Amino acid sequence: LDERYERRGSIDYGSTTVFNYGCRTPNGTIYIENECYTEDMTPSERAGVIATMLMQNKIFKLLIYADTDMFSDFRNYTGAEKSPAQIMNEVFVQMMGPMAPTLTPVSKKSEDARKYRVLCNEAFKEYLNWRKAPDGNFTLNPRLLIKQRCSRLITTLPGLVYDKKNRSDIDPAVGKLFR
């Protein structure tokens, strides 16, 4: 991809944590370039894996939109002195110095999390939408393109099951699997 396109990253944090990065072209097409999938690791271990991947791919000073839970104060719950975001930022700086990525909380502006998910799902549908003419040529190209190396994302997206009561949302029982 053209190096002029500004890359961004995202982290969905939990016992299974997924990190993706990609870019958006001037025509609005989003390319998901790479992913890092981790399970049952500490925040510092996850940060080390992510930093190593970023350095191997020469991706520096990346802005990463992170799950808001990463910025929570867990002292009252776990006794931990730092949030996962603080721990990860420290590891990023230790490993990458001034080239470290920056974590920023994702903005979830809606009245409730359920409506936010609906909006995100609708955006995904719009970006994945495509049409072909009878001759086989595209009349509408998809605007979300995912590199083959993002195997977890590729296998997960088609498996999202719609809520029988609200087709604009994923099934709440399935959604719990991805938190």
Side-chain angles (χ1 to χ4, degrees):
L1 290 173
D2 193 317
E3 293 301 318
R4 293 174 296 172
Y5 302 151
E6 190 172 4
R7 286 173 170 77
R8 297 277 194 244
S10 65
I11 294 179
D12 186 12
Y13 189 78
S15 61
T16 298
T17 295
V18 181
F19 166 70
N20 293 292
Y21 71 82
C23 65
R24 184 178 192 163
T25 66
N27 72 355
T29 300
I30 296 174
Y31 287 90
I32 307 297
E33 296 179 67
N34 216 337
E35 72 178 359
C36 181
Y37 181 92
T38 60
E39 289 187 86
D40 301 321
M41 291 182 174
T42 65
S44 57
E45 290 170 326
R46 291 178 201 282
V49 171
I50 293 168
T52 299
M53 183 189 84
L54 290 172
M55 290 185 294
Q56 288 171 344
N57 290 284
K58 297 179 175 50
I59 304 294
F60 302 111
K61 295 184 176 183
L62 185 70
L63 179 61
I64 300 173
Y65 294 98
D67 193 321
T68 53
D69 291 342
M70 292 181 63
F71 297 85
S72 298
D73 183 351
F74 291 120
R75 283 181 278 198
N76 294 330
Y77 305 106
T78 65
E81 293 296 317
K82 298 176 183 172
S83 71
Q86 290 170 313
I87 294 167
M88 291 181 86
N89 275 327
E90 287 177 3
V91 172
F92 289 151
V93 170
Q94 287 169 1
M95 292 181 69
M96 299 177 72
M99 304 304 273
T102 303
L103 295 176
T104 188
V106 68
S107 175
K108 296 182 180 180
K109 293 184 180 181
S110 69
E111 291 91 46
D112 61 41
R114 189 167 184 80
K115 289 182 184 175
Y116 175 77
R117 272 200 331 270
V118 169
L119 293 172
C120 290
N121 290 340
E122 289 299 312
F124 256 104
K125 288 179 199 173
E126 187 64 32
Y127 272 87
L128 290 170
N129 190 26
W130 59 274
R131 280 191 292 277
K132 278 190 174 182
D135 65 3
N137 290 318
F138 279 102
T139 58
L140 177 65
N141 289 313
R143 293 182 301 144
L144 176 64
L145 303 171
I146 303 168
K147 294 249 182 163
Q148 262 188 309
R149 65 178 159 242
C150 301
S151 60
R152 299 286 182 145
L153 180 59
I154 291 168
T155 57
T156 302
L157 284 177
L160 295 178
V161 180
Y162 290 103
D163 184 345
K164 290 176 182 80
K165 295 177 185 172
N166 179 1
R167 290 208 29 93
S168 296
D169 201 357
I170 62 171
D171 185 335
V174 174
K176 290 176 187 172
L177 298 174
F178 299 103
R179 291 186 191 161

